[in-house]
Amino acid sequence: MLSKQSGFSLVELVVVIVIVGLLAVAALPRFLDVTDSAKKASVEGVAGGYATGVLSARAQWEAESRPSVTVNTEIYNSVNYDGVEFWLTRAKNSSDTDTGFRDGYPWAVKTNNSSFPTNLTNQICVELMENLLQNSPGVESADNSGDNDNIKYSAQAESNERCTYIQKVGGVDNQFVYEIKTGRVIVTLQ
């Protein structure tokens, strides 16, 4: 008895390979776009957490009836938020002159009661991010960020009014800015 062998013909195999190739060409751009979307979503998530921390610190200050500290005749707003002492912005100085800031937004981590930091620095921006977020991603001063894989953001102080945090993953320019004058957090995606 003769047994009949069955299998795919060469034409059938070529057709299947062509179809799989067309599907791969159609799907590949979508898979590449997923990485960029994930980076953007990551920045948006971190910025959202940061904004929540800023508003929560301000709410804590309001709930405690706006506590302040006097340093050399100047009155500065201050709050203990989640176990960390913060210096906060103030709308008027002790001579009742407008400062250009709104009251009660985190300005710096408070290390002592004897000196208020008058200039915003890159290190202050680093400390704000590390202390306003519960599980902060790696952040380093723009001066020191280098090529460390654990550092996800570089922090830079700008004109005594804002901290800019730039995502350091994959050469993208995604960033968010904390505007200290108003307490706003603004995301910029590329």
Side-chain angles (χ1 to χ4, degrees), residues 84-87 107-112 117 124 127-128 131-132:
V84 178
E85 294 281 334
F86 286 95
W87 291 112
W107 168 262
V109 173
K110 182 175 163 188
T111 55
N112 60 54
I124 287 174
E127 292 170 357
L128 283 172
N131 289 286
L132 286 170

Side-chain angles (χ1 to χ4, degrees), residues 43-44 47-48 50-51 162-165 174-180 182-189:
V43 169
E44 289 174 330
Y50 193 99
R162 70 184 64 86
C163 289
T164 300
Y165 300 95
N174 297 328
Q175 66 181 12
F176 68 94
V177 175
Y178 168 42
E179 291 184 346
I180 299 173
T182 61
R184 290 179 31 189
V185 176
I186 302 166
V187 179
T188 304
L189 302 173

Side-chain angles (χ1 to χ4, degrees), residues 9-97:
S9 70
L10 185 58
V11 172
E12 291 171 327
L13 286 174
V14 168
V15 168
V16 168
I17 291 171
V18 168
I19 290 172
V20 169
L22 291 172
L23 289 174
V25 167
L28 189 61
R30 290 184 185 202
F31 287 121
L32 293 177
D33 196 35
V34 169
T35 304
D36 290 337
S37 296
K39 290 174 188 173
K40 290 176 182 179
S42 173
V43 169
E44 289 174 330
V46 171
Y50 193 99
T52 299
V54 166
L55 294 177
S56 295
R58 186 173 194 292
Q60 182 70 31
W61 177 68
E62 292 284 1
E64 292 178 6
S65 301
R66 297 181 166 213
S68 61
V69 174
T70 302
V71 178
N72 299 329
T73 70
E74 285 290 326
I75 299 171
Y76 296 100
N77 297 325
S78 173
V79 71
N80 181 323
Y81 168 65
D82 201 25
V84 178
E85 294 281 334
F86 286 95
W87 291 112
L88 305 176
T89 56
R90 60 192 180 144
K92 299 200 181 275
N93 63 19
S94 293
S95 6
D96 207 31
T97 305

